[in-house]
């Protein structure tokens, strides 16, 4: 079965950086788009970033553009989210997802369990 396992979350001060990783198994990783979502306490899950099958196209939420960078390594079945200039409002559980891109919108099909990111002010 498809498994997506996130790692790299933690506690960081505002202005700091973290790199999240997502390890995928049980699917043809190089054939799927991948993405990151996040859910803050009491809020709905929201899109953060996505990347197409070969890394040639990336998509970002306006709130993270210029600060976050999504990337992937198809040889290792890994996806990353480099998060710089973190703000307290970035505090959330971050979820990895595998899916497709339809007319420029990432559609998740599989989800990871999530990793907590906490940014202190």
């Amino acid at each position: 079965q498809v498994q997506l396992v996130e790692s790299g979350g933690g506690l960081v001060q505002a202005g700091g950086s973290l790199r999240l990783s997502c390890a995928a198994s049980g699917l043809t990783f190089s054939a799927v788009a991948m993405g990151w979502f996040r859910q803050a306490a009491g809020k709905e899950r929201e899109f953060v970033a996505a990347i197409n099958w070969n890394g040639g196209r990336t998509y970002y939420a306006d709130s993270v553009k210029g600060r976050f960078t999504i990337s992937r390594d198809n040889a290792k079945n890994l996806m990353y989210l480099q998060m710089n200039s973190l703000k307290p409002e970035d505090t959330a559980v971050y979820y990895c997802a595998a899916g497709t891109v339809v007319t420029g919108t990432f559609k998740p099909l599989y989800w990871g369990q999530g990793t907590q990111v906490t940014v202190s002010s």
Side-chain angles (χ1 to χ4, degrees):
Q1 70 277 21
V2 176
Q3 278 196 313
L4 302 173
V5 179
E6 303 93 337
S7 61
L11 174 64
V12 64
Q13 287 189 330
S17 299
L18 280 176
R19 189 176 82 153
L20 305 183
S21 299
C22 173
S25 61
L27 76 171
T28 304
F29 184 74
S30 60
V32 297
M34 297 292 296
W36 290 96
F37 288 73
R38 67 187 182 186
Q39 187 167 17
K43 295 187 177 182
E44 292 189 355
R45 193 172 297 191
E46 64 175 2
F47 169 77
V48 174
I51 187 166
N52 76 330
W53 66 276
N54 67 353
R57 294 202 68 174
T58 56
Y59 310 83
Y60 295 95
D62 287 344
S63 59
V64 306
K65 273 181 188 174
R67 300 188 299 122
F68 291 10
T69 303
I70 190 171
S71 62
R72 66 189 295 162
D73 184 339
N74 284 353
K76 297 181 179 179
N77 284 15
L78 289 170
M79 176 183 62
Y80 306 100
L81 185 68
Q82 177 67 43
M83 305 186 294
N84 298 330
S85 302
L86 282 161
K87 304 175 181 179
E89 51 263 43
D90 294 317
T91 295
V93 177
Y94 283 70
Y95 296 91
C96 165
T100 61
V101 175
V102 179
T103 58
T105 300
F106 178 73
K107 303 293 186 183
L109 298 173
Y110 303 101
W111 293 96
Q113 293 300 305
T115 185
Q116 176 71 45
V117 171
T118 302
V119 184
S120 64
S121 56

